[in-house]
Amino acid sequence: MSDATLHDAHPDPDDFAVQISDQIESFIVAVTEVAKGDEPDSAVPFLLLELSQLLLAGGRLGAHEDFVPDERYEPDVGPEPDVDELRERFAQLLEPVDIYSEVFDPYVPRSQPVACRISDDLAGIITDLRHGMAHYREGRISEALWWWQFSYLSNWGTTASAALRALQSLVAHVRLDSPLDELDGLDTDSSSAGGDEELAEEAGRVMAAEIAGPLGLRSGPH
């Protein structure tokens, strides 16, 4: 796709690059808005939806033949925007269900689960996507598609899939009226503060407040 096509007032909606960039930009804008915390009660289901839609774009990138950038060396896109504030906002918004357990590679025999944070995942995904978007906005379409495809296969695809699984699990626990029995001391730090039972109980209350109400769900009698 040429620079003229990129800056056309009416880009071809059927163009692959246009579709992918639209999906990615929509995700960045939507997730950044969620991080503001204006509607905390709908954060979990909204993130579930946004990550699902982003992974559709990722699947299309993964299924596509390899993109080859026009230049041998990647052009400089300038300093990466700081995502620390976004990460911190999500950590506060999702506390205490931010931490979850994930197997890094399901094809590695006897892989041990590791503790991850949804807030870290979202910040990392945004960083990868913005990097490619910087190329796209400068008219380097092949470079943007190459970067999005490469980083999908090597980083943000795995991260987004893991975060989506965690969010889907939270929603399923509420819909199926199956409260979290325990978080088993999940912590990304070397030491864990507080009791596991208290953390699990609080997680159940947060799920009910953030997910059940917005989804129109009612938990069963206890």
Side-chain angles (χ1 to χ4, degrees):
M1 189 166 85
S2 67
D3 290 2
T5 303
L6 172 65
H7 298 294
D8 194 317
H10 302 287
D12 184 359
D14 294 327
D15 187 277
F16 183 82
V18 172
Q19 292 177 355
I20 295 298
S21 66
D22 283 349
Q23 287 180 284
I24 287 175
E25 185 169 23
S26 175
F27 176 84
I28 294 173
V29 171
V31 170
T32 302
E33 284 297 311
V34 175
K36 293 179 180 179
D38 294 336
E39 299 182 17
D41 290 345
S42 60
V44 168
F46 198 85
L47 289 172
L48 177 69
L49 175 62
E50 290 301 323
L51 280 170
S52 297
Q53 293 176 334
L54 176 66
L55 283 170
L56 173 59
R60 296 181 67 193
L61 286 165
H64 201 284
E65 62 184 12
D66 290 349
F67 291 103
V68 179
D70 294 332
E71 301 181 36
R72 181 177 180 181
Y73 299 103
E74 181 183 10
D76 184 16
V77 295
E80 299 285 354
D82 188 9
V83 295
D84 285 344
E85 182 179 356
L86 183 141
R87 178 186 292 107
E88 292 171 2
R89 285 179 176 272
F90 272 121
Q92 295 174 4
L93 192 63
L94 298 172
E95 179 69 23
V97 294
D98 189 24
I99 303 175
Y100 67 98
S101 179
E102 172 65 10
V103 175
F104 182 72
D105 190 336
Y107 282 99
V108 174
R110 295 178 294 280
S111 295
Q112 294 297 317
V114 296
C116 304
R117 291 182 182 271
I118 299 174
S119 55
D120 289 340
D121 293 345
L122 293 171
I125 294 167
I126 290 289
T127 297
D128 281 342
L129 298 181
R130 282 177 174 171
H131 186 90
M133 187 60 72
H135 286 303
Y136 185 84
R137 288 171 176 164
E138 290 295 322
R140 297 186 290 268
I141 309 306
S142 62
E143 187 75 44
L145 290 172
W146 173 84
W147 171 259
W148 283 328
Q149 184 184 61
F150 169 76
S151 58
Y152 166 75
L153 295 172
S154 64
N155 191 30
W156 70 260
T158 301
T159 304
S161 299
L164 178 68
R165 178 70 182 90
L167 292 167
Q168 188 273 339
S169 179
L170 288 172
V171 173
H173 274 291
V174 172
R175 284 193 177 276
L176 302 177
D177 192 20
S178 175
L180 294 173
D181 293 330
E182 59 177 301
L183 297 184
D184 198 27
L186 281 179
D187 199 330
T188 54
D189 300 323
S190 58
S191 62
S192 176
D196 294 343
E197 292 183 2
E198 293 181 3
L199 189 58
E201 184 177 343
E202 177 63 17
R205 289 196 294 267
V206 170
M207 284 198 301
E210 292 190 354
I211 307 174
L215 291 180
L217 304 175
R218 295 179 180 273
S219 59
H222 298 287

